[in-house]
Amino acid sequence: MGSAAPPPPPPALPPMARPAPPALPPAGASAALPPPPAPVLPPLLPSREEPQVKHPFGVPPPVSRPPPPPEIAAPALPPRGAASTAAAAPPAPALPPRGGPAAPPPPPPLPAAPAPPQQDLGQNHAVAIYDYEAAEEGELSFNEGERITHIEFPSSEWWEGVNERGEYGLFPANYVEIQK
């Protein structure tokens, strides 16, 4: 096998032609430069008043507008004192003359209803001045303003009694105020 000759080199490209830079005016001299070219603007869009579709004969189509609302007039009132064919309301009763007889006195109050039977509050009862939530079994829970009845005094700090729900238990004496 013989050795092959290397491929020939690619042809040389001609040098790129560059335009010569513009000649600068000598220092201190002012030269008038040509104005820059005008910018190219996109075409104007049609305004909203112009119709978007051109009429084939060059006449713009008429603009359709909704008709104006009909004027609503208030219904006519009958003249005062005129008789109506519809059923009229009965006339108001005549006013009594001024300075005439005085109005009758109001009726006497009704007798008071009988008092409800007294609830057995026991010998001692109190009203809670604070809320108390039982912390242990055997203690009594109650809300502020709740009445505690049938109070017993096993000690000066803890008392026993019944709350409004009928529950019985111990409660702190300084959470209630004895009622007399």
Side-chain angles (χ1 to χ4, degrees):
M1 280 210 76
S3 72
L13 296 174
M16 289 183 55
R18 292 188 182 179
L24 294 176
S30 64
L33 296 176
V40 177
L41 299 175
L44 294 176
L45 296 175
S47 68
R48 291 185 186 232
E49 285 90 34
E50 289 184 30
Q52 295 292 329
V53 180
K54 302 259 182 183
H55 192 273
F57 302 112
V59 178
V63 177
S64 63
R65 293 188 179 139
E71 291 195 25
I72 300 173
L77 296 175
R80 292 183 184 236
S84 171
T85 58
L95 295 173
R98 293 188 181 204
L110 297 174
Q118 284 290 336
Q119 180 183 4
D120 179 23
L121 302 177
Q123 192 172 6
N124 301 303
H125 63 280
V127 174
I129 54 177
Y130 306 106
D131 290 348
Y132 179 72
E133 186 68 34
E136 296 181 11
E137 187 177 334
E139 291 184 357
L140 181 67
S141 296
F142 48 81
N143 296 320
E144 179 182 352
E146 190 170 344
R147 182 175 291 198
I148 311 297
T149 61
H150 299 86
I151 298 176
E152 297 176 9
F153 309 98
S155 78
S156 63
E157 296 176 356
W158 288 89
W159 297 345
E160 293 177 329
V162 178
N163 65 11
E164 291 178 353
R165 294 177 298 283
E167 301 166 336
Y168 178 81
L170 285 170
F171 59 91
N174 57 351
Y175 274 55
V176 300
E177 186 175 82
I178 293 286
Q179 303 292 300
K180 299 197 184 239

